[in-house]
């Protein structure tokens, strides 16, 4: 089992609610990106740590391997990404958020 840290600032809501990870296969200039290539290394049972807005907001477990798939509807996000990418099904659980601010000690 592997653990994957995924920065989802732009796509968090879509991916966590939809139960998946998606990335383009290549950068907009056609070059390789190690983060995109890593999608092909994800295996069922791997743990996904979803990082968004300076916090781990969800934890997921991969339900399958990466498959070639068209870009999901991300709204105004991801217009620069190609339409072809990697899709990994993930079962996510949202992490309970602690209140921000100072802590109290009794």
């Amino acid at each position: 089992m592997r653990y994957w840290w995924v920065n989802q600032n732009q796509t968090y809501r879509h991916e966590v609610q939809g139960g998946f990870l998606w990335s383009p296969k290549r950068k907009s200039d056609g070059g390789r990106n190690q983060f995109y290539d890593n999608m092909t290394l994800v295996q069922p049972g791997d743990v996904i740590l979803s990082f968004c807005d300076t916090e781990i907001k969800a934890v997921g477990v991969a339900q399958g391997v990466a498959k070639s798939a068209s870009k999901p509807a991300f709204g105004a996000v991801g217009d620069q990404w190609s339409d072809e990418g990697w899709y990994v099904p993930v079962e996510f659980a949202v992490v309970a958020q602690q209140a921000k601010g100072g802590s109290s000690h009794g």
Side-chain angles (χ1 to χ4, degrees):
M1 172 182 11
R2 292 182 177 163
Y3 294 85
W4 301 97
W5 180 281
V6 180
N7 294 322
Q8 291 180 299
N9 287 320
Q10 298 182 73
T11 59
Y12 169 82
R13 183 174 51 85
H14 295 92
E15 291 181 310
V16 170
Q17 288 178 3
F20 67 90
L21 294 176
W22 185 90
S23 79
K25 291 182 177 180
R26 299 275 183 171
K27 296 190 296 187
S28 58
D29 66 3
R32 294 183 65 188
N33 179 310
Q34 187 62 52
F35 299 114
Y36 301 164
D37 291 347
N38 285 346
M39 293 282 283
T40 65
L41 302 176
V42 175
Q43 294 294 308
D46 285 0
V47 175
I48 313 296
L49 302 173
S50 172
F51 184 77
C52 177
D53 298 330
T54 73
E55 299 177 334
I56 294 175
K57 289 194 168 184
V59 176
V61 177
Q63 301 297 301
V65 297
K67 300 215 184 288
S68 189
S70 297
K71 180 173 56 178
F74 287 131
V77 173
D79 287 342
Q80 74 279 15
W81 298 326
S82 66
D83 286 332
E84 187 66 20
W86 296 116
Y87 176 96
V88 175
V90 179
E91 185 174 310
F92 281 106
V94 175
V95 175
Q97 301 297 307
Q98 294 184 358
K100 300 235 181 208
S103 61
S104 61
H105 298 286

